[in-house]
PDB file of all heavy atoms in Angstrom:
ATOM      1  N   LYS A  56     157.589 117.483 143.247  1.00 92.00           N
ATOM      2  CA  LYS A  56     157.664 117.632 144.706  1.00 92.00           C
ATOM      3  C   LYS A  56     158.692 118.679 145.130  1.00 92.00           C
ATOM      4  O   LYS A  56     158.341 119.668 145.776  1.00 92.00           O
ATOM      5  CB  LYS A  56     157.913 116.281 145.371  1.00 92.00           C
ATOM      6  CG  LYS A  56     156.724 115.339 145.247  1.00 92.00           C
ATOM      7  CD  LYS A  56     157.042 113.988 145.848  1.00 92.00           C
ATOM      8  CE  LYS A  56     155.869 113.047 145.727  1.00 92.00           C
ATOM      9  NZ  LYS A  56     156.163 111.730 146.306  1.00 92.00           N
ATOM     10  N   THR A  77     143.889 116.848 146.098  1.00 72.00           N
ATOM     11  CA  THR A  77     143.961 115.504 145.546  1.00 72.00           C
ATOM     12  C   THR A  77     144.128 115.538 144.030  1.00 72.00           C
ATOM     13  O   THR A  77     143.752 116.484 143.379  1.00 72.00           O
ATOM     14  CB  THR A  77     142.720 114.671 145.922  1.00 72.00           C
ATOM     15  OG1 THR A  77     142.899 113.345 145.463  1.00 72.00           O
ATOM     16  CG2 THR A  77     141.452 115.239 145.332  1.00 72.00           C
ATOM     17  N   GLY A  78     144.693 114.479 143.530  1.00 64.00           N
ATOM     18  CA  GLY A  78     144.875 114.327 142.097  1.00 64.00           C
ATOM     19  C   GLY A  78     145.162 112.875 141.771  1.00 64.00           C
ATOM     20  O   GLY A  78     145.165 112.466 140.626  1.00 64.00           O
ATOM     21  N   LEU A  79     145.389 112.092 142.804  1.00 64.00           N
ATOM     22  CA  LEU A  79     145.734 110.684 142.630  1.00 64.00           C
ATOM     23  C   LEU A  79     144.706 109.791 143.307  1.00 64.00           C
ATOM     24  O   LEU A  79     144.048 110.196 144.250  1.00 64.00           O
ATOM     25  CB  LEU A  79     147.104 110.388 143.264  1.00 64.00           C
ATOM     26  CG  LEU A  79     148.313 111.151 142.748  1.00 64.00           C
ATOM     27  CD1 LEU A  79     149.530 110.800 143.584  1.00 64.00           C
ATOM     28  CD2 LEU A  79     148.561 110.834 141.293  1.00 64.00           C
ATOM     29  N   SER A  80     144.641 108.580 142.826  1.00 69.00           N
ATOM     30  CA  SER A  80     143.821 107.581 143.505  1.00 69.00           C
ATOM     31  C   SER A  80     144.563 107.112 144.757  1.00 69.00           C
ATOM     32  O   SER A  80     145.747 107.387 144.931  1.00 69.00           O
ATOM     33  CB  SER A  80     143.570 106.384 142.579  1.00 69.00           C
ATOM     34  OG  SER A  80     144.772 105.647 142.404  1.00 69.00           O
ATOM     35  N   ALA A  81     143.879 106.380 145.611  1.00 70.00           N
ATOM     36  CA  ALA A  81     144.503 105.876 146.838  1.00 70.00           C
ATOM     37  C   ALA A  81     145.707 104.994 146.524  1.00 70.00           C
ATOM     38  O   ALA A  81     146.734 105.054 147.204  1.00 70.00           O
ATOM     39  CB  ALA A  81     143.483 105.112 147.672  1.00 70.00           C
ATOM     40  N   VAL A  82     145.605 104.164 145.492  1.00 72.00           N
ATOM     41  CA  VAL A  82     146.709 103.276 145.109  1.00 72.00           C
ATOM     42  C   VAL A  82     147.896 104.088 144.608  1.00 72.00           C
ATOM     43  O   VAL A  82     149.041 103.833 144.980  1.00 72.00           O
ATOM     44  CB  VAL A  82     146.252 102.248 144.051  1.00 72.00           C
ATOM     45  CG1 VAL A  82     147.429 101.443 143.528  1.00 72.00           C
ATOM     46  CG2 VAL A  82     145.179 101.341 144.620  1.00 72.00           C
ATOM     47  N   GLU A  83     147.636 105.102 143.778  1.00 65.00           N
ATOM     48  CA  GLU A  83     148.718 105.945 143.266  1.00 65.00           C
ATOM     49  C   GLU A  83     149.422 106.677 144.408  1.00 65.00           C
ATOM     50  O   GLU A  83     150.643 106.775 144.433  1.00 65.00           O
ATOM     51  CB  GLU A  83     148.169 106.951 142.250  1.00 65.00           C
ATOM     52  CG  GLU A  83     147.742 106.320 140.938  1.00 65.00           C
ATOM     53  CD  GLU A  83     147.002 107.302 140.051  1.00 65.00           C
ATOM     54  OE1 GLU A  83     146.191 108.097 140.565  1.00 65.00           O
ATOM     55  OE2 GLU A  83     147.237 107.258 138.832  1.00 65.00           O
ATOM     56  N   ARG A  84     148.652 107.172 145.381  1.00 66.00           N
ATOM     57  CA  ARG A  84     149.260 107.852 146.529  1.00 66.00           C
ATOM     58  C   ARG A  84     150.141 106.896 147.325  1.00 66.00           C
ATOM     59  O   ARG A  84     151.206 107.267 147.799  1.00 66.00           O
ATOM     60  CB  ARG A  84     148.183 108.455 147.427  1.00 66.00           C
ATOM     61  CG  ARG A  84     147.656 109.783 146.932  1.00 66.00           C
ATOM     62  CD  ARG A  84     146.828 110.492 147.978  1.00 66.00           C
ATOM     63  NE  ARG A  84     145.710 109.706 148.464  1.00 66.00           N
ATOM     64  CZ  ARG A  84     144.510 109.659 147.908  1.00 66.00           C
ATOM     65  NH1 ARG A  84     144.270 110.356 146.825  1.00 66.00           N
ATOM     66  NH2 ARG A  84     143.556 108.917 148.431  1.00 66.00           N
ATOM     67  N   LEU A  85     149.681 105.664 147.464  1.00 66.00           N
ATOM     68  CA  LEU A  85     150.438 104.664 148.207  1.00 66.00           C
ATOM     69  C   LEU A  85     151.765 104.355 147.514  1.00 66.00           C
ATOM     70  O   LEU A  85     152.807 104.248 148.149  1.00 66.00           O
ATOM     71  CB  LEU A  85     149.619 103.376 148.362  1.00 66.00           C
ATOM     72  CG  LEU A  85     150.282 102.233 149.115  1.00 66.00           C
ATOM     73  CD1 LEU A  85     150.528 102.631 150.564  1.00 66.00           C
ATOM     74  CD2 LEU A  85     149.420 100.994 149.053  1.00 66.00           C
ATOM     75  N   ILE A  86     151.727 104.244 146.192  1.00 62.00           N
ATOM     76  CA  ILE A  86     152.913 103.855 145.427  1.00 62.00           C
ATOM     77  C   ILE A  86     153.897 105.013 145.248  1.00 62.00           C
ATOM     78  O   ILE A  86     155.083 104.876 145.517  1.00 62.00           O
ATOM     79  CB  ILE A  86     152.516 103.277 144.049  1.00 62.00           C
ATOM     80  CG1 ILE A  86     151.749 101.971 144.249  1.00 62.00           C
ATOM     81  CG2 ILE A  86     153.733 103.062 143.164  1.00 62.00           C
ATOM     82  CD1 ILE A  86     151.102 101.444 142.994  1.00 62.00           C
ATOM     83  N   ILE A  87     153.415 106.166 144.800  1.00 57.00           N
ATOM     84  CA  ILE A  87     154.337 107.264 144.491  1.00 57.00           C
ATOM     85  C   ILE A  87     154.263 108.414 145.492  1.00 57.00           C
ATOM     86  O   ILE A  87     155.105 109.298 145.475  1.00 57.00           O
ATOM     87  CB  ILE A  87     154.134 107.804 143.063  1.00 57.00           C
ATOM     88  CG1 ILE A  87     152.743 108.407 142.884  1.00 57.00           C
ATOM     89  CG2 ILE A  87     154.405 106.752 142.041  1.00 57.00           C
ATOM     90  CD1 ILE A  87     152.560 109.121 141.561  1.00 57.00           C
ATOM     91  N   GLY A  88     153.276 108.412 146.339  1.00 67.00           N
ATOM     92  CA  GLY A  88     153.154 109.467 147.336  1.00 67.00           C
ATOM     93  C   GLY A  88     152.426 110.681 146.796  1.00 67.00           C
ATOM     94  O   GLY A  88     152.369 110.909 145.598  1.00 67.00           O
ATOM     95  N   SER A  89     151.865 111.428 147.681  1.00 82.00           N
ATOM     96  CA  SER A  89     151.105 112.616 147.318  1.00 82.00           C
ATOM     97  C   SER A  89     152.021 113.830 147.226  1.00 82.00           C
ATOM     98  O   SER A  89     152.784 114.115 148.150  1.00 82.00           O
ATOM     99  CB  SER A  89     150.029 112.853 148.380  1.00 82.00           C
ATOM    100  OG  SER A  89     149.502 114.148 148.267  1.00 82.00           O
ATOM    101  N   VAL A  90     151.911 114.543 146.125  1.00 87.00           N
ATOM    102  CA  VAL A  90     152.676 115.783 145.967  1.00 87.00           C
ATOM    103  C   VAL A  90     152.237 116.774 147.037  1.00 87.00           C
ATOM    104  O   VAL A  90     153.061 117.416 147.692  1.00 87.00           O
ATOM    105  CB  VAL A  90     152.494 116.373 144.550  1.00 87.00           C
ATOM    106  CG1 VAL A  90     153.116 117.763 144.458  1.00 87.00           C
ATOM    107  CG2 VAL A  90     153.090 115.459 143.498  1.00 87.00           C
TER     108      VAL A  90
END
Side-chain angles (χ1 to χ4, degrees):
K56 292 177 180 180
T77 185
L79 301 175
S80 70
V82 173
E83 289 171 320
R84 279 193 303 273
L85 180 64
I86 295 170
I87 63 172
S89 165
V90 171

